[in-house]
Amino acid sequence: MASSAVAFRRVVQRYAPLLLAVVVAAAVWASATGDTGVRSPLPRVVVLFLAVASGWAAGTIRTRRWPLFLVAAVSWLVLAAAAGGVVASYQAGLRLRGRRLAGYLAGAALVLAGGVLVGLAVGGVRRITTATTGNVLMLAVCLVVLPLVFGLWVRARRDTLAALRDRAERLEREQEAHADRVRAEERTRIAREMHDVVAHRVSLMVVHAGALEVTAADPTTVEAAVLIRTTGRQALTDLREVLGVLRQAGPAVMPERGLDALDELIGESRTAGLRVCRQDEGVPSALPATVGRTAYRVVREALTNVRKHAAGAETTVCLRYLPDGLEVVVRNGPSEGGPALPGAGQGLLGLRERVELLGGRLEAKPVDGGFLVRALIPLAGAP
């Protein structure tokens, strides 16, 4: 229903000048031939010329005003045709301001006075119509006052609506600015709490791992302490980047890794004790950056879950290059036991949303005592 109204409004706006031109030309012709006004003794060629000129001037009012004002004055003085004067008075109220509007009123008064003189000179019906006191006053009201007032009212209404629109847009901008300030304050608070809690404990872990590396006599213990200290330092570096993003005033922009860093990710997982192998199937091709980042996130989240819940299981990371996309499969076998690490349970949920945002799908389910994570990422959905 709303679309039909919008389409109708567009059609009216497109053809309104042509319709106005036809109506004004027809009204001038009808007035000069005596159908709706005083019959003119002038040749029909002159009447036709003034009718066409009046229609053309009315149809081009959006781009120029003076032709309509001029033709309206000539039509009234020569033919006593009122159509052009009515349209001119409305357009004057709609478009003119200040001195220009006062100048139009003075010009209209002169034209009406000239019409009185012409009526007195011509006599007959023309004198009765345009030169008697009552008719002159009525004509002044109908030709000038009422159309002018209506034009002023339309202009005032448009100005009011424009002011209300500006006010609504300003309020919307202020609300967005307030929401941005609130988000920035909340992000700063989160960053502060993360620094106070997480960074403090990770720093203690790194310190204790360093002390264990120095004091331990067992080479295996020393190697484990070095790994813990290195991982802790990397965690502090990553945490520092996250906190820097949270403290940014503008949109959060943090560089993300893609498939070029996948071997490094798998190497870190092997260093941590996971048995991981990588397989590539198909012909590798250049992929959009969003596809590469999403694939990296899938593998990272899947390996993180393996470390949490099946640390001793054999894991396979497979990338299948398809003609229209990329399939990422991470599958681990049964766990050999051991305590599971705590998790928030939101990793796969956020990962599914990221994949579906690109038009793909994510599958995560237990398989043969292990777990399977499969993501199909199409190239068509990547920007």
Side-chain angles (χ1 to χ4, degrees), residues 132-210:
T132 57
T133 304
N135 285 343
V136 170
L137 293 177
M138 184 181 66
L139 289 172
V141 171
C142 295
L143 268 68
V144 180
V145 177
L146 290 180
L148 185 69
V149 170
F150 184 65
L152 291 172
W153 176 80
V154 173
R155 187 181 69 185
R157 184 174 179 272
R158 289 181 180 178
D159 293 343
T160 301
L161 291 177
L164 291 176
R165 261 194 307 269
D166 292 340
R167 182 180 179 184
E169 293 175 356
R170 184 171 63 254
L171 289 175
E172 184 177 358
R173 290 193 298 269
E174 292 176 355
Q175 289 178 354
E176 291 178 355
H178 177 70
D180 291 340
R181 288 195 300 270
V182 172
R183 283 194 292 267
E185 293 174 357
E186 182 66 14
R187 286 162 57 178
T188 302
R189 185 186 64 82
I190 294 174
R192 185 167 54 250
E193 292 182 357
M194 290 180 63
H195 179 271
D196 294 342
V197 177
V198 180
H200 173 69
R201 295 188 179 278
V202 174
S203 299
L204 289 178
M205 181 184 68
V206 172
V207 172
H208 286 299

Side-chain angles (χ1 to χ4, degrees), residues 119-133:
L120 292 175
V122 174
V125 179
R126 177 70 180 268
R127 178 176 182 177
I128 297 174
T129 304
T130 61
T132 57
T133 304

